[in-house]
Amino acid sequence: MHSTRPRTAQRSAAPRGLAVLVLLLLLALASGCALQPVEVVRPDMFRNYAVYLRDEMVRRNILDAEGNYMEAAIRDNRDYRPASYGEELYRRLSTRFRSAEARNGLAGETFADSAAPDDNVRIGKVGFALGQGMDVISVSLTAVTDWNGDGVNDWLVTCTVTPLFGSGPREYYLAVENVAPTGVLKPTLLAIRDCANNECTVLVGKARSKVLGFDPDRSTDKAPSNFVESQPGQQIVMPPHAPAPAGAPGAGGPG
């Protein structure tokens, strides 16, 4: 059992810690709502999901009420495991979650399709970084878990767009469900974290349309079934001078 809360100095005997872990496991099993196992690839980015999408992740049995999760190295023969997640995301991840042009057929569907010959791209094992126009775009696999509860593991992906000048960055929190070896990867946009003037706002539900200029859940394709509903207000304003998330470009690129 892992916690998404900031670590503090602790001194405890190893046997006692093991006993507590066993007790938590037994309680979860006894309650009939054991947590979904999570293979965390980028702990810094996963922590943002746990903070900004806490209620949704608790509802999906990915976090418990205290923000803990069950980490496991998931090995399922039904999962697609590419040699390079970075290459797969660059070549296959649809940009429709952020690009009106891609949605209207005026630009390439994927990041690779939309890249110009002189764009600078760096592809790593779990993500990629792309210099495109006046933006630096960083995309990384964040975790693998059964997001939609259908018994097949899905990908949680973070896309961070940092302007070279002006405000920013903007983070997109995505779920790519039932990943297959071929075809375009069409993510569900779970939330946007938009930063400007030393203030960051987390947008879910209909509030996402205000910064995108379009409704991300409407397209020529079938609307996603796993829409993350927002609560009244539909946004969370972070305190002034809140630091950028640890996974943002410049704080650790894709590995």
Side-chain angles (χ1 to χ4, degrees):
M1 190 78 70
H2 290 255
S3 174
T4 56
R5 290 175 292 183
R7 294 180 180 272
T8 56
Q10 295 181 348
R11 301 178 64 183
S12 60
R16 181 180 178 184
L18 180 60
V20 171
L21 175 60
V22 172
L23 179 59
L24 289 172
L25 287 171
L26 291 175
L27 288 174
L29 292 173
S31 66
C33 56
L35 294 177
Q36 293 279 10
V38 183
E39 184 175 337
V40 177
V41 179
R42 292 291 302 269
D44 52 348
M45 294 180 177
F46 184 73
R47 193 174 301 116
N48 295 336
Y49 282 74
V51 171
Y52 305 133
L53 294 169
R54 169 68 61 88
D55 292 344
E56 185 68 19
M57 296 181 78
V58 170
R59 186 176 73 81
R60 293 175 183 269
N61 286 331
I62 296 173
L63 298 179
D64 66 16
E66 301 299 321
N68 300 308
Y69 63 95
M70 186 66 65
E71 184 169 10
I74 300 171
R75 292 293 179 265
D76 190 322
N77 291 333
R78 294 172 297 178
D79 289 353
Y80 173 57
R81 295 280 177 158
S84 170
Y85 290 97
E87 187 75 28
E88 291 290 293
L89 292 169
Y90 178 65
R91 300 292 178 190
R92 299 176 56 201
L93 185 66
S94 174
T95 62
R96 290 189 178 197
F97 66 90
R98 63 177 293 265
S99 170
E101 290 79 9
R103 296 167 65 84
N104 296 327
L106 301 177
E109 171 81 0
T110 68
F111 285 95
D113 293 338
S114 64
D118 58 347
D119 285 343
N120 184 25
V121 60
R122 179 170 59 88
I123 299 176
K125 185 176 180 180
V126 300
F128 68 89
L130 171 66
Q132 192 171 56
M134 301 302 291
D135 294 327
V136 176
I137 303 171
S138 177
V139 176
S140 180
L141 178 68
T142 300
V144 178
T145 190
D146 185 7
W147 176 262
N148 58 11
D150 67 352
V152 179
N153 287 307
D154 312 301
W155 295 357
L156 297 182
V157 176
T158 302
C159 173
T160 304
V161 180
T162 304
L164 295 178
F165 303 99
S167 61
R170 175 180 292 176
E171 288 188 329
Y172 301 85
Y173 303 122
L174 311 170
V176 183
E177 301 173 13
N178 303 340
V179 181
T182 59
V184 175
L185 301 175
K186 299 181 179 181
T188 298
L189 177 59
L190 307 177
I192 301 171
R193 182 178 185 263
D194 199 37
C195 298
N197 301 320
N198 295 320
E199 184 174 270
C200 295
T201 304
V202 179
L203 303 135
V204 296
K206 294 180 180 179
R208 299 165 300 166
S209 303
K210 296 178 181 179
V211 297
L212 293 173
F214 59 84
D215 184 346
D217 298 311
R218 293 178 61 87
S219 69
T220 55
D221 301 319
K222 182 179 179 181
S225 59
N226 288 346
F227 183 128
V228 177
E229 292 288 356
S230 63
Q231 300 298 318
Q234 298 183 330
Q235 62 185 37
I236 306 167
V237 178
M238 304 301 290
H241 310 297

